[in-house]
Amino acid sequence: MEPMSVALIGASILLAMGLACVAGLKGWQAWLDFKRLELASNVGEQGLPPATGRIELADLKERVRKLEAIAAGIDI
């Protein structure tokens, strides 16, 4: 193989790798933007989570209190 064809093949490989990296980076940025929007949509008014999340959290806290009382031997 002559040096010109080797250089041409090397340059085309570098170009293909560069294009693949740019495409991957664009995809990564789009995925990050999607996740940011997904997280932002889960926040309700005044930066609080939706009411269903607060209700579930209150239920979990009540269950933990009951389990702690059972473990301590206190009758509820």
Side-chain angles (χ1 to χ4, degrees):
M1 295 183 81
E2 60 186 70
M4 189 62 156
S5 61
V6 172
L8 188 60
I9 290 172
S12 63
I13 289 173
L14 283 176
L15 180 65
M17 286 178 55
L19 290 174
C21 288
V22 168
L25 185 60
K26 291 278 186 178
W28 175 252
Q29 291 296 327
W31 183 81
L32 286 176
D33 290 340
F34 172 72
K35 286 300 181 182
R36 283 187 192 109
L37 286 173
E38 191 177 78
L39 288 172
S41 69
N42 287 338
V43 175
E45 296 176 11
Q46 301 163 351
L48 297 174
T52 56
R54 291 191 302 259
I55 292 170
E56 290 176 2
L57 186 60
D59 287 344
L60 288 174
K61 285 181 180 179
E62 183 63 29
R63 287 182 187 176
V64 167
R65 277 190 225 114
K66 287 181 181 180
L67 288 173
E68 287 174 343
I70 290 171
I74 301 171
D75 200 18
I76 298 178

